[in-house]
Amino acid sequence: MENELLFRQAEARDLDKIVKMLADDPLGKTRENYRHPLPKQYIKAFEAIQSDPNNELMVAVLEGDIIGVLQITFTPYITHQGGWRATIEGVRTDESVRGKGIGTKMITWAIERAKTRNCHLVQLTTDKSRTDALRFYENLGFKATHEGLKLKFNRC
């Protein structure tokens, strides 16, 4: 890609595009609710993220268009001598740019961001059914060193 890829904090006006990218995925189709107007829970979540200095919802912008999104959460831990960790979640690229290196640039940017926040490690999870995503992250140096577990609650 010849043009410069920019990263910036998401703004309220970006929320529609962000949710659309999150829903444009086999798993996202089953768990997101992309419609107009957006359900209020997306707006509430966005506001909570924006008000938390340890959460950053970032968009990747190319030629004025949002083409990627990810969220980074910075968490202090007592373990590792009181170290901080960065957790990357909700990584998506627009289908128009998939396979063009945008995801690599996004994750590389997030790793550098974690370093500026003095994190001792970056962690992320991806669904086990996402074999391409697992290979992608492994190619960027991530190692499957832990087994992750989740306990889901039914929403009201």
Coordinates of all heavy atoms in Angstrom, one line a residue, residues 108-152:
T108 N 1.7 -4.7 14.7 CA 3.0 -4.1 15.0 C 2.9 -2.7 15.7 O 3.6 -2.4 16.7 CB 3.8 -3.9 13.7 OG1 3.9 -5.2 13.1 CG2 5.1 -3.3 13.9
W109 N 1.9 -1.9 15.3 CA 1.7 -0.6 15.9 C 1.2 -0.9 17.4 O 1.7 -0.2 18.3 CB 0.6 0.1 15.2 CG 0.3 1.5 15.8 CD1 0.9 2.6 15.5 CD2 -0.6 1.7 16.9 NE1 0.4 3.6 16.4 CE2 -0.5 3.1 17.2 CE3 -1.5 0.9 17.6 CZ2 -1.2 3.7 18.2 CZ3 -2.2 1.5 18.6 CH2 -2.1 2.9 18.9
A110 N 0.4 -1.8 17.6 CA -0.1 -2.1 19.0 C 1.0 -2.6 19.9 O 1.1 -2.2 21.1 CB -1.3 -3.1 18.9
I111 N 1.9 -3.4 19.3 CA 3.0 -3.9 20.1 C 3.9 -2.7 20.5 O 4.3 -2.5 21.7 CB 3.9 -4.9 19.3 CG1 3.0 -6.2 19.2 CG2 5.2 -5.2 20.0 CD1 3.6 -7.2 18.2
E112 N 4.2 -1.8 19.6 CA 5.0 -0.6 19.9 C 4.3 0.3 20.9 O 4.9 0.9 21.8 CB 5.3 0.2 18.6 CG 6.3 -0.5 17.7 CD 7.6 -0.9 18.4 OE1 8.2 -0.1 19.1 OE2 8.0 -2.1 18.3
R113 N 2.9 0.4 20.8 CA 2.2 1.2 21.8 C 2.3 0.6 23.2 O 2.5 1.3 24.2 CB 0.7 1.2 21.4 CG -0.2 2.0 22.3 CD 0.1 3.5 22.3 NE -0.7 4.1 23.3 CZ -0.3 4.9 24.2 NH1 1.0 5.2 24.4 NH2 -1.1 5.5 25.1
A114 N 2.3 -0.7 23.3 CA 2.4 -1.4 24.6 C 3.8 -1.1 25.2 O 4.0 -0.9 26.4 CB 2.2 -2.9 24.4
K115 N 4.8 -1.0 24.3 CA 6.2 -0.7 24.8 C 6.2 0.7 25.3 O 6.9 1.0 26.4 CB 7.2 -0.9 23.7 CG 7.4 -2.3 23.3 CD 8.4 -2.4 22.1 CE 8.6 -3.8 21.7 NZ 9.5 -3.9 20.5
T116 N 5.5 1.6 24.7 CA 5.5 3.0 25.2 C 4.8 3.1 26.6 O 5.1 4.1 27.3 CB 4.9 4.0 24.2 OG1 3.5 3.8 24.1 CG2 5.6 4.0 22.9
R117 N 3.9 2.2 26.8 CA 3.2 2.2 28.1 C 4.0 1.3 29.2 O 3.5 1.0 30.2 CB 1.8 1.6 28.0 CG 0.9 2.6 27.2 CD 0.3 3.7 28.1 NE -0.4 3.2 29.3 CZ -1.7 3.3 29.5 NH1 -2.5 3.9 28.6 NH2 -2.2 2.8 30.6
N118 N 5.2 0.9 28.8 CA 6.1 0.1 29.7 C 5.5 -1.3 30.1 O 5.7 -1.8 31.2 CB 6.5 0.9 30.9 CG 7.3 2.1 30.6 OD1 8.2 2.0 29.8 ND2 7.0 3.2 31.2
C119 N 4.8 -1.9 29.2 CA 4.2 -3.2 29.4 C 5.3 -4.2 29.3 O 6.3 -4.1 28.5 CB 3.1 -3.5 28.4 SG 1.7 -2.5 28.6
H120 N 5.3 -5.3 30.0 CA 6.3 -6.3 29.9 C 5.8 -7.4 29.0 O 6.7 -8.3 28.6 CB 6.6 -6.9 31.3 CG 5.5 -7.7 31.9 ND1 5.3 -9.0 31.7 CD2 4.5 -7.3 32.7 CE1 4.3 -9.5 32.4 NE2 3.8 -8.4 33.0
L121 N 4.6 -7.4 28.6 CA 4.1 -8.4 27.6 C 2.8 -7.9 26.9 O 2.1 -7.1 27.4 CB 4.0 -9.8 28.1 CG 2.9 -10.1 29.1 CD1 1.6 -10.4 28.4 CD2 3.3 -11.3 29.9
V122 N 2.6 -8.5 25.7 CA 1.4 -8.2 25.0 C 0.7 -9.6 24.9 O 1.3 -10.6 24.5 CB 1.6 -7.7 23.6 CG1 0.3 -7.6 22.8 CG2 2.3 -6.3 23.6
Q123 N -0.6 -9.6 25.2 CA -1.3 -10.9 25.1 C -2.6 -10.6 24.2 O -3.1 -9.5 24.1 CB -1.7 -11.4 26.4 CG -2.6 -10.5 27.3 CD -2.7 -10.9 28.7 OE1 -1.9 -11.8 29.2 NE2 -3.7 -10.4 29.4
L124 N -3.1 -11.7 23.6 CA -4.3 -11.7 22.9 C -4.9 -13.0 22.9 O -4.3 -14.0 23.1 CB -4.1 -11.1 21.5 CG -3.1 -11.8 20.6 CD1 -3.6 -13.0 19.9 CD2 -2.6 -10.8 19.5
T125 N -6.2 -13.1 22.5 CA -6.8 -14.4 22.3 C -7.5 -14.3 21.0 O -7.8 -13.3 20.4 CB -7.9 -14.7 23.4 OG1 -8.9 -13.7 23.4 CG2 -7.3 -14.7 24.8
T126 N -7.7 -15.5 20.4 CA -8.5 -15.6 19.2 C -9.2 -17.0 19.3 O -8.8 -17.9 20.0 CB -7.7 -15.5 17.9 OG1 -8.5 -15.4 16.8 CG2 -6.7 -16.7 17.8
D127 N -10.4 -17.0 18.7 CA -11.2 -18.3 18.8 C -10.4 -19.4 18.1 O -9.8 -19.2 17.1 CB -12.5 -18.0 18.0 CG -13.5 -19.1 18.3 OD1 -13.4 -20.2 17.6 OD2 -14.4 -18.9 19.1
K128 N -10.5 -20.6 18.7 CA -9.7 -21.7 18.1 C -10.1 -22.1 16.7 O -9.3 -22.7 16.0 CB -9.9 -22.9 19.0 CG -9.1 -22.8 20.4 CD -9.3 -24.1 21.2 CE -8.5 -23.9 22.5 NZ -8.6 -25.2 23.3
S129 N -11.3 -21.7 16.3 CA -11.8 -22.0 15.0 C -11.2 -21.1 13.9 O -11.2 -21.3 12.7 CB -13.3 -21.9 14.9 OG -13.8 -20.6 15.0
R130 N -10.5 -20.0 14.4 CA -9.9 -19.1 13.5 C -8.5 -19.5 13.2 O -7.5 -18.9 13.6 CB -9.9 -17.7 14.1 CG -11.3 -17.1 14.3 CD -11.1 -15.7 14.9 NE -12.3 -15.1 15.3 CZ -13.1 -14.3 14.5 NH1 -12.8 -14.1 13.3 NH2 -14.2 -13.8 15.0
T131 N -8.3 -20.6 12.4 CA -7.0 -21.1 12.1 C -6.1 -20.1 11.4 O -4.9 -20.1 11.7 CB -7.1 -22.4 11.4 OG1 -7.9 -22.2 10.2 CG2 -7.7 -23.5 12.2
D132 N -6.7 -19.3 10.5 CA -5.9 -18.3 9.8 C -5.4 -17.3 10.7 O -4.2 -16.8 10.6 CB -6.7 -17.7 8.6 CG -6.9 -18.6 7.5 OD1 -6.2 -19.7 7.4 OD2 -7.8 -18.3 6.7
A133 N -6.2 -16.8 11.7 CA -5.8 -15.8 12.6 C -4.7 -16.4 13.6 O -3.7 -15.7 13.9 CB -7.0 -15.4 13.5
L134 N -4.9 -17.6 14.0 CA -3.8 -18.2 14.8 C -2.5 -18.3 14.1 O -1.4 -17.9 14.7 CB -4.2 -19.7 15.2 CG -5.3 -19.8 16.2 CD1 -5.9 -21.2 16.3 CD2 -4.8 -19.4 17.6
R135 N -2.5 -18.6 12.8 CA -1.2 -18.7 12.1 C -0.7 -17.2 11.9 O 0.5 -17.0 12.0 CB -1.5 -19.3 10.7 CG -0.3 -19.6 9.9 CD -0.6 -20.5 8.6 NE -1.9 -20.3 8.0 CZ -3.0 -21.1 8.2 NH1 -3.0 -22.1 8.9 NH2 -4.1 -20.8 7.5
F136 N -1.6 -16.3 11.6 CA -1.2 -14.9 11.5 C -0.4 -14.4 12.8 O 0.7 -13.8 12.7 CB -2.4 -14.0 11.2 CG -2.2 -12.6 11.3 CD1 -1.6 -11.9 10.3 CD2 -2.7 -11.9 12.4 CE1 -1.4 -10.5 10.4 CE2 -2.5 -10.5 12.5 CZ -1.8 -9.8 11.5
Y137 N -1.0 -14.6 13.9 CA -0.4 -14.2 15.2 C 0.9 -14.9 15.5 O 1.9 -14.3 15.9 CB -1.4 -14.3 16.3 CG -2.6 -13.3 16.2 CD1 -3.9 -13.8 16.3 CD2 -2.4 -12.0 16.1 CE1 -4.9 -12.9 16.1 CE2 -3.4 -11.1 16.0 CZ -4.7 -11.6 16.0 OH -5.8 -10.7 15.9
E138 N 0.9 -16.2 15.2 CA 2.2 -16.9 15.4 C 3.3 -16.4 14.5 O 4.4 -16.3 14.9 CB 1.9 -18.4 15.1 CG 1.1 -19.1 16.3 CD 0.7 -20.5 16.0 OE1 0.8 -21.0 14.8 OE2 0.2 -21.1 16.9
N139 N 2.9 -16.0 13.2 CA 3.9 -15.5 12.3 C 4.5 -14.1 12.8 O 5.6 -13.7 12.4 CB 3.4 -15.3 10.9 CG 3.2 -16.7 10.2 OD1 3.9 -17.7 10.6 ND2 2.3 -16.8 9.2
L140 N 3.7 -13.5 13.7 CA 4.2 -12.2 14.2 C 4.9 -12.4 15.5 O 5.3 -11.4 16.2 CB 3.0 -11.3 14.5 CG 2.3 -10.7 13.2 CD1 1.0 -10.0 13.5 CD2 3.3 -9.8 12.5
G141 N 5.1 -13.6 15.9 CA 5.9 -13.9 17.1 C 5.2 -14.3 18.4 O 5.8 -14.6 19.4
F142 N 3.8 -14.3 18.3 CA 3.0 -14.7 19.4 C 3.1 -16.2 19.6 O 3.2 -17.0 18.6 CB 1.6 -14.3 19.3 CG 1.4 -12.8 19.4 CD1 1.5 -12.0 18.4 CD2 1.0 -12.3 20.7 CE1 1.3 -10.6 18.5 CE2 0.8 -10.9 20.8 CZ 1.0 -10.1 19.7
K143 N 3.2 -16.7 20.8 CA 3.3 -18.1 21.2 C 2.0 -18.5 22.0 O 1.6 -17.8 22.9 CB 4.5 -18.4 22.0 CG 5.8 -17.9 21.3 CD 6.4 -18.9 20.5 CE 7.8 -18.5 20.0 NZ 7.8 -18.2 18.6
A144 N 1.5 -19.7 21.7 CA 0.4 -20.2 22.5 C 1.0 -20.9 23.7 O 1.0 -22.1 23.8 CB -0.4 -21.2 21.6
T145 N 1.3 -20.1 24.7 CA 2.0 -20.6 25.9 C 1.0 -21.0 27.0 O 1.4 -21.6 28.0 CB 3.0 -19.6 26.5 OG1 2.3 -18.4 26.8 CG2 4.1 -19.3 25.5
H146 N -0.2 -20.5 26.9 CA -1.2 -20.7 27.9 C -2.5 -21.3 27.3 O -2.8 -21.1 26.2 CB -1.5 -19.4 28.7 CG -0.4 -18.9 29.5 ND1 0.8 -18.4 29.0 CD2 -0.3 -18.8 30.8 CE1 1.6 -18.0 29.9 NE2 0.9 -18.2 31.1
E147 N -3.3 -21.9 28.2 CA -4.6 -22.4 27.8 C -5.6 -21.4 28.4 O -5.6 -21.1 29.6 CB -4.9 -23.8 28.3 CG -6.1 -24.4 27.8 CD -6.0 -24.8 26.3 OE1 -4.9 -25.1 25.8 OE2 -7.1 -24.8 25.6
G148 N -6.5 -20.8 27.5 CA -7.4 -19.8 28.0 C -8.8 -20.4 28.2 O -9.2 -21.3 27.4
L149 N -9.5 -20.0 29.2 CA -10.9 -20.4 29.5 C -11.8 -19.3 29.6 O -11.4 -18.2 30.0 CB -10.8 -21.3 30.8 CG -9.8 -22.4 30.8 CD1 -9.7 -22.9 32.2 CD2 -10.3 -23.5 29.9
K150 N -13.0 -19.5 29.2 CA -14.1 -18.4 29.3 C -15.3 -19.0 30.0 O -15.6 -20.2 29.7 CB -14.4 -17.8 28.0 CG -13.3 -17.0 27.4 CD -13.7 -16.4 26.1 CE -12.5 -15.6 25.5 NZ -12.9 -14.8 24.4
L151 N -16.0 -18.2 30.7 CA -17.3 -18.6 31.2 C -18.3 -17.5 30.8 O -18.2 -16.3 31.2 CB -17.3 -18.6 32.8 CG -18.6 -18.9 33.5 CD1 -19.1 -20.2 33.1 CD2 -18.4 -18.7 35.0
K152 N -19.2 -17.8 29.9 CA -20.1 -16.9 29.3 C -21.4 -16.8 30.2 O -21.9 -17.9 30.7 CB -20.5 -17.2 27.9 CG -19.3 -17.0 27.0 CD -19.8 -17.1 25.5 CE -18.6 -16.7 24.6 NZ -19.0 -16.6 23.2

